[in-house]
């Protein structure tokens, strides 16, 4: 499976509706697609870095640079063919998890396609249907938030997550709980609070939340442990968990009781599986987070989420929650019971549509061995 060509494309897609977090409001997403070719087969990966370094320090430009100047030359010079070989070799470079993960995902897709198997089978996935929810952004008003949630609940999603920040937290939870007393509900602060807000955050214990995601800064495992000690609602870490090592330290320190796994954030599937397995051994449930991926990245997420310790509803919604038209055919749809089926074809198991990709492409470049 000698790699003959690697292609990068920078794409821009507009959301159906803006998405606001504690970082700010966004109307669309710029991201990189990685394509890896061998023997006429193409593996696809999505690099989830955004235009600005808000969620993490990576950007589309840093990822492009690291892929072009380090990771792709490494693949060609060292004749790397396997995703595991790539993950091991890429460790020499510090950071740049999203750049690494995008290329590793493309190698996984290529491997699975060349073996004629869906990715979930390669990974050891056990589920064929993935329980899913929706991540709801911050809205201009509480009535607008409630309308949005009502729409998603009517569509059949299993749980709702709302983004919170100082000034949009207790009131929002109160309103959602009054209108939807039994709704499985969780909140995500994307690190918008600090330890001085501890007493304020403790009021969230009154709303029967499934979890509170990432109240404090990514590097702050300690402050999370102080808050978790005083709350009955489980904390879930997203931005803080960068590797199996940080997962272990967070669990041992009592910084969280649940972990959100995003392949991009942890640098690839190899590391994601190590986190999954560690958490499983400790009885800590995980779920699959999202980065508002195109259908290509989300198909990858469905395969990962088929692993057995993904025990909570995932941030994996249907194509029509994000895009007027997704990049894939068939599009991802929500099934009865609030689940999405894991694609059963080889590799990611859905077909990227070249013409839609081309229409969204701002820039592209192809690389070959010297
Ligand atoms: O914190 O989970 C997050 C989107 C972009 C950056 C960070 C996050 C999110 C989401 C979206 O919550 C989840 C999805 O893809 O549906
Ligand atoms: Mg999050």
């Amino acid at each position: 499976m000698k790699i003959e060509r690697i292609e990068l494309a920078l794409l821009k897609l507009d959301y159906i509706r803006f998405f606001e977090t504690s970082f700010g409001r966004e109307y669309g997403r710029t991201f990189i697609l990685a394509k890896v070719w061998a023997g006429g087969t193409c593996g696809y990966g999505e690099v989830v870095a955004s235009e600005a370094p808000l969620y993490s320090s990576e950007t589309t430009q840093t990822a492009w640079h690291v892929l072009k100047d380090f990771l792709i030359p490494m693949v060609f010079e060292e004749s790397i063919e396997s995703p595991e070989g790539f993950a091991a070799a890429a460790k020499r470079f510090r950071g740049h998890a999203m750049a690494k993960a995008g290329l590793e995902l493309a190698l996984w897709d290529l491997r699975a396609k060349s073996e004629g198997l869906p990715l979930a089978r390669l990974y050891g996935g056990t589920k064929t249907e993935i329980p899913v929810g929706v991540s709801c952004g911050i809205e201009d008003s509480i009535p607008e938030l409630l309308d949005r949630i009502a729409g998603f609940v009517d569509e059949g999603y299993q749980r709702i997550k709302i983004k919170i920040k100082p000034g949009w937290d207790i009131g929002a939870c109160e309103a959602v709980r009054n209108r939807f007393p039994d709704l499985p509900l969780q909140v995500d602060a994307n690190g918008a609070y600090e330890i001085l807000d501890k007493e304020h955050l403790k009021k969230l214990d009154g709303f029967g939340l499934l979890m509170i995601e990432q109240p404090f800064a990514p590097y702050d495992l300690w402050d999370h442990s102080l808050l978790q000690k005083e709350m009955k609602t489980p904390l879930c870490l997203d931005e803080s968990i960068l590797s199996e090592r940080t997962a272990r330290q967070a669990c041992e320190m009592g910084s969280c009781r649940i972990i959100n796994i995003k392949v991009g954030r942890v640098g690839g599937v190899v590391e994601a599986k190590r986190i999954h397995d560690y958490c499983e051994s400790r009885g800590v449930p995980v779920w699959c987070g999202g980065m508002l991926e195109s259908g290509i990245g989300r198909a990858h997420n469905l395969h990962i989420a088929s692993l057995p310790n993904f025990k909570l509803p995932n941030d994996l919604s249907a194509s029509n929650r994000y895009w007027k038209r997704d990049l894939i055919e068939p599009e991802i749809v929500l099934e009865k019971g609030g689940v999405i089926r894991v694609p059963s074809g080889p590799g990611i198991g859905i077909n990227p549509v070249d013409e839609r990709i081309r229409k969204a492409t701002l820039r592209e470049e192809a690389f070959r061995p010297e």
Side-chain angles (χ1 to χ4, degrees):
M1 222 187 45
K2 189 174 155 39
I3 309 301
E4 293 148 5
R5 189 166 84 251
I6 298 178
E7 296 171 12
L8 299 180
L10 183 70
L11 274 68
K12 171 84 199 281
L13 281 180
D14 292 329
Y15 301 139
I16 281 185
R17 193 155 181 282
F18 67 80
F19 187 74
E20 183 171 327
T21 67
S22 56
F23 308 129
R25 185 172 288 192
E26 292 194 343
Y27 295 85
R29 215 180 129 237
T30 311
F31 61 97
I32 299 169
L33 273 188
K35 296 208 250 173
V36 175
W37 289 88
T41 305
C42 178
Y44 290 83
E46 184 164 334
V47 179
V48 297
S50 331
E51 218 166 350
L54 298 169
Y55 170 83
S56 87
S57 61
E58 288 184 85
T59 70
T60 45
Q61 287 210 56
T62 66
W64 191 284
H65 159 55
V66 168
L67 283 158
K68 172 176 173 154
D69 296 323
F70 299 101
L71 298 170
I72 293 173
M74 179 189 83
V75 168
F76 290 138
E77 279 160 26
E78 296 170 28
S79 304
I80 289 169
E81 299 185 4
S82 76
E84 296 94 337
F86 172 80
K91 271 192 198 298
R92 76 190 68 168
F93 300 118
R94 293 240 168 103
H96 302 285
M98 292 171 177
K100 292 172 182 171
L103 196 46
E104 198 197 295
L105 285 167
L107 289 165
W108 280 109
D109 184 31
L110 181 67
R111 145 98 61 93
K113 282 172 175 162
S114 70
E115 294 183 15
L117 294 173
L119 275 166
R121 283 275 292 286
L122 285 195
Y123 296 157
T126 50
K127 291 190 280 293
T128 54
E129 295 185 327
I130 305 300
V132 296
V134 180
S135 172
C136 292
I138 293 164
E139 295 289 336
D140 286 326
S141 70
I142 297 288
E144 279 166 285
L145 175 67
L146 297 177
D147 281 354
R148 290 288 287 166
I149 293 174
F152 294 130
V153 169
D154 285 347
E155 284 182 61
Y157 285 102
Q158 290 198 14
R159 69 98 171 105
I160 296 295
K161 155 170 140 181
I162 63 171
K163 293 290 187 179
I164 58 167
K165 63 175 183 181
W168 183 270
D169 46 24
I170 308 297
C173 286
E174 220 158 40
V176 176
R177 262 295 165 253
N178 282 339
R179 169 94 178 262
F180 306 96
D182 304 317
L183 175 68
L185 178 68
Q186 62 195 64
V187 299
D188 184 0
N190 290 108
Y193 297 88
E194 47 186 306
I195 194 67
L196 292 171
D197 302 314
K198 182 155 65 67
E199 293 312 308
H200 178 72
L201 288 167
K202 281 162 73 175
K203 296 180 200 153
L204 291 171
D205 258 346
F207 300 109
L209 302 174
L210 293 171
M211 70 190 80
I212 301 167
E213 191 177 336
Q214 199 70 41
F216 302 139
Y219 49 80
D220 211 338
L221 292 182
W222 179 249
D223 284 355
H224 282 105
S225 78
L226 298 181
L227 179 63
Q228 181 68 91
K229 263 198 209 89
E230 296 184 29
M231 291 197 76
K232 66 172 201 283
T233 309
L235 298 187
C236 168
L237 292 177
D238 172 350
E239 286 92 326
S240 291
I241 305 299
L242 304 174
S243 59
E244 188 251 5
R245 182 182 279 130
T246 48
R248 177 170 55 76
Q249 291 169 351
C251 292
E252 286 182 2
M253 233 188 265
S255 311
C256 65
R257 294 184 195 141
I258 298 173
I259 284 179
N260 163 325
I261 292 184
K262 291 179 185 170
V263 171
R265 193 192 66 232
V266 306
V269 173
V270 172
E271 194 65 27
K273 283 214 282 181
R274 293 180 69 214
I275 297 171
H276 168 275
D277 294 351
Y278 169 76
C279 289
E280 188 171 41
S281 77
R282 280 200 55 128
V284 172
V286 306
W287 55 282
C288 184
M291 291 294 288
L292 305 164
E293 288 91 344
S294 80
I296 294 171
R298 236 140 0 87
H300 270 293
N301 289 345
L302 287 167
H303 290 279
I304 300 287
S306 72
L307 289 166
N309 195 42
F310 282 80
K311 289 207 164 126
L312 293 157
N314 304 280
D315 270 355
L316 258 162
S317 314
S319 295
N320 68 6
R321 182 260 177 272
Y322 309 95
W323 318 111
K324 267 206 205 77
R325 205 153 179 234
D326 207 337
L327 297 178
I328 53 166
E329 206 56 62
E331 296 204 351
I332 291 170
V333 292
L334 184 68
E335 305 283 342
K336 271 210 192 64
V339 299
I340 294 178
R341 272 204 282 273
V342 182
S344 58
I348 50 177
I350 47 88
N351 299 309
V353 181
D354 280 338
E355 181 228 321
R356 294 185 205 162
I357 293 176
R358 220 173 308 120
K359 264 179 78 179
T361 297
L362 305 173
R363 169 153 94 97
E364 54 191 331
E365 196 168 346
F367 306 89
R368 281 167 226 277
E370 290 280 292

